Amino acid sequence: MKRTFFLLGLALCLLVITFPPGCYYDNEQDLYGNPEPCDTVGVSYSTFIEPLLQDHCYKCHKESEPEFSGYILDGYENTKTYALSGKVADRTNNAANPMPPLSDGGLLPDCDRQKILAWIRAGAPQN
Ligand code: HEC
């Protein structure tokens, strides 16, 4: 009798080890649904890039602002110069030394950063 219980217990243990409960196949898509696709086609300076810089960058990168950093990034020509130098792409994707700075929220959402890169790769057009 004891032996039967022992064997039953053993079989149960083996079953649990082989098929652990809760270890089902879960992936991001099943759990959260399809993530919003990020549309990086024809990103516009006037309707996307400038408003984004205004919200997230101008307070430190516009000369008239109290937190001005010394680096002018407002207006199309200044933005274009920094964009084509590679510095905007670098710093907006630099997790260790990001823009906006860590103290100001750090990296922008992934889709915003993809759009900035797409705009720069298109030659930073005034569109
Ligand atoms: C809270 C203030 C602050 C905000 C907000 C901010 N920056 Fe900066 N940024 C600085 C300071 C200060 C420096 C200079 C020190 C450094 O390079 O870290 C700088 C440097 C930079 C540089 C490097 C300039 C160079 O010639 O080396 C780039 C490019 C830049 N910022 C882009 C951005 C962009 C794009 C945003 C918005 C997405 C942004 N920054 C938001 C404060 C800020």
Side-chain angles (χ1 to χ4, degrees):
M1 192 62 187
K2 257 186 174 168
R3 198 178 138 85
T4 316
F5 273 121
F6 174 75
L7 284 175
L8 251 158
L10 195 71
L12 208 75
C13 283
L14 281 173
L15 211 79
V16 170
I17 290 168
T18 321
F19 306 103
C23 185
Y24 54 92
Y25 181 70
D26 49 16
N27 64 33
E28 212 176 350
Q29 263 182 19
D30 289 345
L31 292 175
Y32 308 112
N34 267 328
E36 278 285 300
C38 183
D39 184 4
T40 57
V41 177
V43 177
S44 152
Y45 172 76
S46 58
T47 63
F48 182 78
I49 299 292
E50 194 181 21
L52 178 137
L53 297 181
Q54 202 148 24
D55 288 350
H56 298 286
C57 319
Y58 279 8
K59 75 170 193 179
C60 305
H61 288 289
K62 188 174 175 170
E63 247 177 319
S64 55
E65 295 295 326
E67 289 187 53
F68 181 56
S69 60
Y71 298 96
I72 306 173
L73 210 73
D74 73 307
Y76 174 70
E77 289 301 330
N78 293 320
T79 301
K80 182 185 174 187
T81 304
Y82 270 112
L84 296 184
S85 77
K87 284 179 175 169
V88 172
D90 172 37
R91 295 299 295 271
T92 54
N93 291 288
N94 186 334
N97 192 14
M99 282 293 142
L102 286 172
S103 59
D104 213 68
L107 292 180
L108 296 172
D110 191 56
C111 184
D112 286 352
R113 292 186 285 127
Q114 285 183 41
K115 287 179 151 191
I116 296 170
L117 283 180
W119 178 73
I120 295 171
R121 287 190 184 127
Q126 189 170 21
N127 53 356

